[in-house]
Amino acid sequence: MEQITQPQEMQQIAFRLRAEGKTIGCVPTMGCFHEGHLSLMREARKRCDVLQVSIFVNPPQFGPGEDLEKYPRDMERDVHLAEEIEVDYLFVPSVEEMYPESYSTYVEVEGMTETLCGKARPGHFKGVATVVVKLLTIMMPHFAFFGQKDGQQLAVIKRLVRDLNLPVAVVGLPIVREADGLPMSTRNEYLGPEEREHATVLNKALSYARGMILSGERDAARIAGESRMRVASEPGVEVEYFEVVSTESMQPVSEIDGEVMIATAARVGPARLIDNLLVRCNGDEVEFPDSL
Ligand code: AMP
């Protein structure tokens, strides 16, 4: 495995690999790997000749007062895990290289970034969209792999790739969960043992919503309202949102029809946690796809 820190060097390698006819797969991350990250890497490893993984904790996607400084980092362990998966290129640029002095270009995806996490974290998706376009331009993959865990982020990245005609296929992969249903997340490290137990309520509430849909309920407000109450009544858990949105627009819908995402975010102690459930509904036929 080669570790690259210079964007220009990474880009030159990508040019060479493409000229050699290699299929490049890329997995952008903020590091501190867990099974969620590793599942993306394994899938990319299977599908592509060359596997690039980036580790970059991207300041513009963190708001004031968020956890940028204390975001967990563990390069040594990440390098070891990446080697086990046979990552070919680990791209680890510095903030100064990605955002040099007088940096002034940002990518904004309108509309669909104004709901859910975008509403609670203004500017977050502008930061995400900008770094993703930069990473895709530097690493030039044929395929880029992202997790359904960050469902709105995946939808936003698919949209920006389409809108800007970026020559890459975005692949969404399922949420990897702990045994009790909690989605794996770097931020789970912030949870104490009791908070960790309370955190499972998010997935339980989504399962409850799933049950309502399976019993024929189609009223989005009723489903979101009842499920939200379950989260809200859990001690130590503060719901930020619990909504049913269209997967296309990320705007709230009134009915479960077509493809929708039931998405929730909550604060549990020091952590802000998110989870979601995809639903594809055509009359009585209901499916729960595992990724967009
Ligand atoms: P992060 O390092 O948190 O920015 O995540 C990097 C990539 O891993 C993103 O595409 C995430 O959606 C994905 N990811 C994070 N957690 C999970 C998980 N539990 N299951 C699947 N993918 C995940």
Side-chain angles (χ1 to χ4, degrees):
M1 182 174 80
E2 260 188 75
Q3 217 168 300
I4 312 288
T5 57
Q6 302 293 326
Q8 215 184 346
E9 188 189 355
M10 186 70 253
Q11 203 171 40
Q12 271 160 9
I13 291 170
F15 269 122
R16 176 174 53 75
L17 293 167
R18 279 185 166 250
E20 289 168 1
K22 300 270 171 51
T23 307
I24 307 175
C26 142
V27 180
T29 79
M30 298 206 296
C32 220
F33 297 154
H34 50 67
E35 258 319 299
H37 299 117
L38 301 183
S39 71
L40 300 181
M41 293 181 211
R42 286 196 196 100
E43 191 57 33
R45 179 68 285 174
K46 264 193 255 165
R47 294 199 201 181
C48 304
D49 299 324
V50 177
L51 172 54
Q52 310 163 325
V53 172
S54 63
I55 298 180
F56 182 62
V57 182
N58 178 43
Q61 74 187 67
F62 289 78
E66 289 189 358
D67 56 347
L68 173 62
E69 273 82 34
K70 68 168 184 170
Y71 194 83
R73 296 159 208 242
D74 193 344
M75 255 322 268
E76 211 176 302
R77 183 171 165 276
D78 287 352
V79 166
H80 179 71
L81 289 168
E83 270 169 351
E84 271 185 8
I85 294 204
E86 298 183 7
V87 171
D88 296 295
Y89 296 96
L90 190 63
F91 178 50
V92 192
S94 67
V95 173
E96 292 70 31
E97 271 148 352
M98 290 295 272
Y99 301 105
E101 218 185 301
S102 78
Y103 185 90
S104 44
T105 306
Y106 292 87
V107 178
E108 280 211 65
V109 180
E110 295 179 349
M112 67 193 300
T113 57
E114 280 149 33
T115 57
L116 309 177
C117 288
K119 194 164 164 191
R121 306 179 70 190
H124 169 66
F125 286 114
K126 181 177 168 186
V128 169
T130 301
V131 80
V132 167
V133 170
K134 283 174 70 68
L135 289 170
L136 294 176
T137 308
I138 295 166
M139 300 168 88
M140 294 199 294
H142 298 88
F143 296 91
F145 298 79
F146 295 89
Q148 179 60 35
K149 148 90 183 354
D150 302 277
Q152 187 177 17
Q153 170 176 286
L154 176 56
V156 167
I157 292 168
K158 285 196 165 194
R159 177 68 60 84
L160 79 83
V161 163
R162 187 203 72 177
D163 286 357
L164 298 177
N165 308 96
L166 300 184
V168 60
V170 175
V171 183
L173 292 173
I175 304 177
V176 178
R177 297 176 181 279
E178 302 283 359
D180 60 6
L182 182 72
M184 294 209 175
S185 166
T186 308
R187 291 187 168 101
N188 293 350
E189 284 188 23
Y190 299 154
L191 300 170
E194 265 188 41
E195 291 162 344
R196 172 67 189 73
E197 270 180 43
H198 296 313
T200 59
V201 73
L202 289 180
N203 184 241
K204 286 184 191 140
L206 289 171
S207 300
Y208 180 80
R210 187 178 195 271
M212 285 180 83
I213 294 166
L214 285 173
S215 358
E217 183 62 76
R218 296 290 180 268
D219 185 307
R222 210 173 293 149
I223 293 167
E226 281 195 29
S227 312
R228 181 192 176 100
M229 259 169 32
R230 295 184 166 249
V231 183
S233 60
E234 184 77 15
V237 179
E238 199 185 315
V239 195
E240 193 181 277
Y241 64 75
F242 202 113
E243 287 191 55
V244 185
V245 298
S246 141
T247 55
E248 178 62 21
S249 65
M250 292 288 124
Q251 303 302 318
V253 295
S254 56
E255 221 190 322
I256 307 286
D257 187 25
E259 199 174 71
V260 300
M261 182 168 82
I262 308 181
T264 180
R267 289 208 161 269
V268 186
R272 180 181 177 280
L273 303 178
I274 55 173
D275 201 348
N276 68 80
L277 172 71
L278 287 174
V279 188
R280 198 176 292 141
C281 183
N282 182 5
D284 287 343
E285 269 174 50
V286 186
E287 279 179 282
F288 299 93
D290 55 19
S291 67
L292 274 177

